[in-house]
Amino acid sequence: MKNAALFEQAKKIIPGGVNSPVRAFGKVGGTPRFISRAEGAWLWDVEGKRYIDHVLSWGPMILGHLHPEVMDAVIGQAKTGMSYGAPTKLENEMAEIVCDAFESMDQVRFVSSGTEATMSAIRLARGYKGRDIIVKFEGCYHGHVDSLLAKAGSGALTLGIPDTPGVPASVVSQSAVLPYNDTEGFIEFMRSHGAEVAAVIVEPVAGNMGVIQAKEGFLETLRKETLECGALLIFDEVITGFRFCFGGMQRLVDIQPDITCLGKIIGGGLPVGAFGGRREIMSLLAPDGPVYQAGTLSGNPMAMAAGLATLRVLKREDPYGRLEKNMNMFMDGIVSIAQKRQVALSVNHTGSMGSIFFGPGQVDNYEAVTVSDAAMYALFFHAMLERGVYLAPSPYEALFIGVAHGDDILGASLDAVDASLSEIA
Ligand code: PLP
């Protein structure tokens, strides 16, 4: 069956034909590719067409697809059982490697998605502080948690439903949404409402409105003001955890949040999330404390095995310098091709994640993202897809490279960028 036929079939039995909205190509139009297999930096669709994969399952596959050590770990675990609903040694090993990598974590609890991690983190923060208000930032996406679906990024931006039906106004009324990178605005808010704030949650590099780096002083101000107001600071490192170094963005900016959320890379491609922090906060969780949180598949041995193998490879091989160098080269290449082809675009990138915004000027906040040229991105996306390069099907999602994207593959991607920009210019 071809992509189009599978999509028609899927639409009859799955809402929108997909199990997560951005996959439906809504923002770029056309037919989603149904993937039949993947290896290294490559994907193949059901029609046998091969693509360079710059989505990497939205971030987790930093080692590339079918990494031999991850495969061995998963296959080995499958032979001894896929889920027990009882503790395993693997969970201890995962918790140890994660807590060692994050100075801010004495304890960590594993869940099955990034959404569960942020949802549980804000429940814990509210329980710990006995306050209700959560502060989030425009364009930051923390999963589809009711109270955080106000001016959220990526999928929500793509669909144009920053406030989705189905979330009671009373739930969102406990969330304050402030502009990302507006340090002064944040100080002003905290000076007047800080005493009611349970926690401030932030992506330390925003990755769901395209990639937007925090401006100098922004994250430091979040730390300082939350401490002054007695609120918790939550770093959502679901994308950024283990992406730029063996730890989080928090290590690179030298800030200790109170709670950290993880996901994506720590599952090595299987469903995982985690949240962790100081013992005094984490010990409020059931069964030690009164804040309830649980999960049938939490700490699932298959996911722990894949995650542990991934983290061990990252720790041993320390590919971060090379990933950053490759991304710099790739993005510099895109900028110089765009100049040659006289296409107005800008790029933002940190380590192995980056994004391309069409239009003039640099993009450093949510406002600027929403006025970037989404129609141009859609043309570019299809021109690249045609040439065998799979980018995120939305201008608001990051593109990724991983350790399997060698010079030859990045060179082939750049050739496709050149041909695509020349076609659409
Ligand atoms: N937090 C961030 C920063 C994310 O990017 C995402 C997903 O993209 C999530 C939370 C939610 O993770 P999940 O999709 O695993 O629920």
Side-chain angles (χ1 to χ4, degrees), residues 20 58 112-118 140-145 154 201-208 236-240 261-264 271-273 397:
S20 194
W58 308 92
S112 298
S113 68
T115 297
E116 258 189 273
T118 58
C140 283
Y141 175 67
H142 304 292
H144 61 102
V145 180
S154 58
I201 184 165
V202 69
E203 288 180 72
V205 176
N208 285 289
D236 179 349
E237 299 230 38
V238 167
I239 294 187
T240 57
C261 300
L262 296 171
K264 300 200 190 256
V272 169
E397 300 284 357

Side-chain angles (χ1 to χ4, degrees), residues 319-340:
Y320 297 107
R322 180 160 49 93
L323 284 171
E324 178 161 15
K325 189 172 123 285
N326 285 350
M327 186 59 114
N328 290 344
M329 185 274 289
F330 186 52
M331 287 294 181
D332 288 351
I334 292 173
V335 169
S336 72
I337 292 165
Q339 278 161 356
K340 182 177 80 179

Side-chain angles (χ1 to χ4, degrees), residues 25-48:
F25 278 25
K27 197 66 188 175
V28 293
T31 306
R33 300 306 188 256
F34 279 64
I35 303 304
S36 59
R37 73 184 178 95
E39 190 175 342
W42 299 97
L43 292 176
W44 284 261
D45 72 12
V46 288
E47 297 176 22

Side-chain angles (χ1 to χ4, degrees), residues 264-341:
K264 300 200 190 256
I265 289 176
I266 63 159
L270 290 182
V272 169
F275 62 107
R278 290 195 305 281
R279 190 175 314 278
E280 141 211 18
I281 299 172
M282 296 302 287
S283 63
L284 237 73
L285 283 175
D288 280 355
V291 176
Y292 193 69
Q293 188 281 327
T296 300
L297 293 176
S298 289
N300 169 264
M302 298 289 286
M304 295 291 104
L308 198 53
T310 299
L311 294 187
R312 282 179 176 151
V313 174
L314 288 171
K315 189 169 187 180
R316 188 183 68 229
E317 296 189 355
D318 190 16
Y320 297 107
R322 180 160 49 93
L323 284 171
E324 178 161 15
K325 189 172 123 285
N326 285 350
M327 186 59 114
N328 290 344
M329 185 274 289
F330 186 52
M331 287 294 181
D332 288 351
I334 292 173
V335 169
S336 72
I337 292 165
Q339 278 161 356
K340 182 177 80 179
R341 298 291 175 197

Side-chain angles (χ1 to χ4, degrees), residues 76-367:
Q77 180 56 45
K79 288 181 179 162
T80 56
M82 289 196 277
S83 186
Y84 315 123
T88 60
K89 184 164 152 269
L90 273 173
E91 288 159 89
N92 295 6
E93 288 170 352
M94 256 308 260
E96 236 161 41
I97 198 166
V98 169
C99 289
D100 278 353
F102 283 81
E103 215 184 309
S104 64
M105 286 194 208
D106 296 326
Q107 292 193 319
V108 61
R109 179 161 281 174
F110 293 102
V111 291
S112 298
S113 68
T115 297
E116 258 189 273
T118 58
M119 178 188 78
S120 308
I122 64 171
R123 182 183 306 144
L124 176 60
R126 283 171 162 155
Y128 179 75
K129 295 307 309 182
R131 300 175 181 178
D132 289 339
I133 304 279
I134 299 291
V135 175
K136 76 171 289 278
F137 296 95
E138 277 180 353
C140 283
Y141 175 67
H142 304 292
H144 61 102
V145 180
D146 277 2
S147 60
L148 298 176
L149 273 177
K151 292 210 175 160
S154 58
L157 268 183
T158 299
L159 290 169
I161 46 164
D163 296 305
T164 167
V167 174
S170 58
V171 172
V172 178
S173 74
Q174 300 304 307
S175 309
V177 186
L178 303 180
Y180 194 78
N181 273 337
D182 178 3
T183 307
E184 289 310 311
F186 177 73
I187 293 174
E188 210 173 289
F189 179 87
M190 291 301 272
R191 297 274 152 99
S192 48
H193 301 285
E196 300 155 64
V197 172
V200 174
I201 184 165
V202 69
E203 288 180 72
V205 176
N208 285 289
M209 46 177 159
V211 172
I212 306 273
Q213 287 97 350
K215 279 187 181 159
E216 214 182 314
F218 180 61
L219 298 172
E220 288 77 2
T221 302
L222 302 192
R223 181 63 287 183
K224 182 166 171 287
E225 293 295 319
T226 45
L227 281 173
E228 265 170 32
C229 297
L232 297 188
L233 179 61
I234 304 174
F235 269 15
D236 179 349
E237 299 230 38
V238 167
I239 294 187
T240 57
F242 296 99
R243 181 163 307 285
F244 313 128
C245 64
F246 197 77
M249 187 63 191
Q250 56 193 261
R251 193 168 117 200
L252 301 183
V253 292
D254 195 18
I255 294 173
Q256 305 286 308
D258 300 293
I259 303 178
T260 300
C261 300
L262 296 171
K264 300 200 190 256
I265 289 176
I266 63 159
L270 290 182
V272 169
F275 62 107
R278 290 195 305 281
R279 190 175 314 278
E280 141 211 18
I281 299 172
M282 296 302 287
S283 63
L284 237 73
L285 283 175
D288 280 355
V291 176
Y292 193 69
Q293 188 281 327
T296 300
L297 293 176
S298 289
N300 169 264
M302 298 289 286
M304 295 291 104
L308 198 53
T310 299
L311 294 187
R312 282 179 176 151
V313 174
L314 288 171
K315 189 169 187 180
R316 188 183 68 229
E317 296 189 355
D318 190 16
Y320 297 107
R322 180 160 49 93
L323 284 171
E324 178 161 15
K325 189 172 123 285
N326 285 350
M327 186 59 114
N328 290 344
M329 185 274 289
F330 186 52
M331 287 294 181
D332 288 351
I334 292 173
V335 169
S336 72
I337 292 165
Q339 278 161 356
K340 182 177 80 179
R341 298 291 175 197
Q342 297 189 315
V343 175
L345 61 74
S346 64
V347 297
N348 285 344
H349 53 103
T350 302
S352 59
M353 68 194 276
S355 54
I356 304 167
F357 298 103
F358 285 90
Q362 201 62 36
V363 173
D364 62 4
N365 60 29
Y366 174 83
E367 274 307 305

